[in-house]
Amino acid sequence: MKSHPLLRLLDRGSTLFLVLLGAFAIAIPVLNLLMPDGSFLHISTYFVSLFGKYICYGLLALSIDLIWGYVGILSLGHGAFFALGGYAMGMYLMRQIGTRGVYADPIRPDFMVFLNWPELPVYWYGFNYFAYAALMVLLVPGILAFVFGWFAFRSRVTGVYLSIITQALTYALLLGFFRNNFGFGGNNGLTDFKDILGFNVQAPYTRASLFVISALALMLGFIICRVVVSSKFGKVLVAIRDAEARTRFLGYRVEAYKLFVFTLSACMAGVAGALYVPQVGIINPSEFSPANSIEAVIWVAVGGRGTLTGAVLGAVLVNYGKTYFTSGFLAPYWLFLLGGLFVAVTLLLPRGVVGTWQWWMERRRASAAASTPATPAAPQAAE
């Protein structure tokens, strides 16, 4: 009996990851909505939103691992695509406020009324429709990544130079979105959201639904990445990572492969940002900060570059540590802890947590196979 092609692409670790994530996506809303508040098993709505934020970060880390771990493109500006997706969703949420805003203007958001904007800018048109906003979540980061990658990869910019350019890109967007005349809320950004698809964003059922949707998006993103890296296309990506000049000499259009994966990765980051915004309740220019993009790279390094599951695990572990250490007396030293963690992982666990575990298991299997005596061949019958 032949198995489904998708199942053949999922190894044991990938299958376990998807099963655990699916169970997590079911258990958290159930414990939040069905368990009474005084129960030991009850999970508050705050923690539902917190875990939902971690999952969005996991999808962002997955998008970075796809290009860094399998193609060797180290992007230090992937937070820009995350933020652009978040702003697209934030614009939709702002249009849903309507007359419930402070100034009760049915068309213009409060910050535009405060800044005396005479009318709604053209690029805000259409964001009162969810379908249009969802399309922009994919198109805006995707188009920017395509245009940026088209010029960068055709110019054969690689290595640290490409990393610096991506960092400059997100910093330029940071400066632009900070300006009030850009039309995106300036320093304060977009906030005070009310509804999403007609549901109150603060309601527990809406929070639980957003958490489940985020988990499903992460599962879908993981499957897409797994299909890409396990196919013949993925083998070419690894060849580009390990020997780009030789791969180009063999006749492969290296730039086209890089451009496709970079654009796909940017779209995934945009989806992560779009799911992040309604759960945290705000999006502002600080999301474009180069430090955020560098921190996302640290998540991947900690979990294990080129492992997919490691990228998600690293995002969850580091952000849980950030939540834990920034709420006590260690709060002023969090950045030192984060930097020390990155240095320690680089020196002691260069493959990351999951990568080191996989390497150790492969060594163990290889050692067991070498110590197993070979079975003697059966003698052939004489003619």
Side-chain angles (χ1 to χ4, degrees):
M1 183 178 180
K2 293 184 178 180
S3 60
H4 193 276
L6 178 59
L7 295 178
R8 292 198 295 268
L9 294 176
L10 299 176
D11 56 14
R12 184 180 302 175
S14 300
T15 304
L16 179 61
F17 170 78
L18 291 174
V19 170
L20 291 177
L21 182 58
F24 193 66
I26 296 173
I28 295 299
V30 168
L31 296 177
N32 170 244
L33 299 174
L34 300 183
M35 292 295 173
D37 291 347
S39 172
F40 174 75
L41 296 176
H42 175 74
I43 293 179
S44 67
T45 303
Y46 165 77
F47 280 103
V48 172
S49 299
L50 184 64
F51 294 147
K53 184 175 73 170
Y54 291 165
I55 289 178
C56 294
Y57 285 152
L59 184 56
L60 172 61
L62 192 65
S63 69
I64 295 175
D65 192 32
L66 178 63
I67 58 172
W68 185 32
Y70 293 91
V71 198
I73 301 174
L74 176 56
S75 172
L76 296 181
H78 238 56
F81 307 123
F82 179 85
L84 287 173
Y87 265 96
M89 179 57 67
M91 292 166 73
Y92 163 77
L93 296 173
M94 291 296 290
R95 292 298 309 274
Q96 301 307 299
I97 296 176
T99 57
R100 291 172 294 175
V102 175
Y103 298 99
D105 191 291
I107 303 297
R108 294 173 299 168
D110 283 340
F111 73 87
M112 289 187 183
V113 179
F114 177 77
L115 295 173
N116 296 319
W117 285 67
E119 58 184 3
L120 194 71
V122 175
Y123 47 86
W124 275 77
Y125 291 175
F127 278 98
N128 53 321
Y129 301 105
F130 180 81
Y132 180 83
L135 182 63
M136 291 300 104
V137 166
L138 294 172
L139 280 184
V140 174
I143 291 175
L144 177 61
F146 183 87
V147 173
F148 175 85
W150 173 269
F151 289 103
F153 300 141
R154 280 176 61 89
S155 302
R156 299 188 180 182
V157 179
T158 59
V160 65
Y161 302 103
L162 181 64
S163 300
I164 293 174
I165 293 176
T166 57
Q167 194 172 52
L169 171 67
T170 188
Y171 188 67
L173 289 171
L174 168 70
L175 296 179
F177 274 76
F178 260 119
R179 298 175 61 90
N180 288 326
N181 59 2
F182 233 53
F184 297 103
N187 181 51
N188 296 322
L190 309 177
T191 187
D192 194 30
F193 308 134
K194 308 293 185 184
D195 297 336
I196 179 169
L197 290 174
F199 298 96
N200 183 358
V201 293
Q202 301 296 334
Y205 281 94
T206 306
R207 295 282 187 176
S209 299
L210 288 170
F211 173 84
V212 173
I213 294 171
S214 300
L216 292 175
L218 178 57
M219 294 173 70
L220 179 60
F222 181 86
I223 292 174
I224 291 174
C225 291
R226 188 65 190 174
V227 169
V228 169
V229 302
S230 300
S231 63
K232 293 181 180 179
F233 184 91
K235 301 299 188 293
V236 178
L237 297 180
V238 174
I240 294 173
R241 179 196 67 187
D242 296 338
E244 181 175 334
R246 184 176 298 179
T247 307
R248 182 179 286 108
F249 179 76
L250 291 174
Y252 290 97
R253 297 185 60 185
V254 171
E255 293 78 14
Y257 282 86
K258 283 185 170 183
L259 185 60
F260 172 79
V261 177
F262 190 71
T263 304
L264 173 62
S265 174
C267 291
M268 291 174 56
V271 172
L275 293 170
Y276 168 85
V277 167
Q279 297 185 81
V280 300
I282 188 173
I283 177 71
N284 58 40
S286 65
E287 296 297 338
F288 287 100
S289 172
N292 289 359
S293 298
I294 296 174
E295 187 174 336
V297 171
I298 295 177
W299 305 341
V300 179
V302 170
R305 171 190 171 194
T307 60
L308 295 183
T309 54
V312 179
L313 179 63
V316 173
L317 289 177
V318 175
N319 281 284
Y320 175 77
K322 183 177 183 179
T323 302
Y324 180 80
F325 288 114
T326 55
S327 59
F329 70 96
L330 292 175
Y333 310 104
W334 161 247
L335 292 178
F336 296 100
L337 292 173
L338 182 64
L341 176 65
F342 184 62
V343 172
V345 168
T346 303
L347 296 178
L348 303 178
L349 296 174
R351 296 178 177 87
V353 175
V354 175
T356 302
W357 170 261
Q358 291 178 348
W359 173 80
W360 182 78
M361 291 299 294
E362 290 175 0
R363 286 281 303 271
R364 186 177 179 182
R365 284 194 293 265
S367 177
S371 61
T372 302
T375 303
Q380 296 183 354
E383 296 182 359

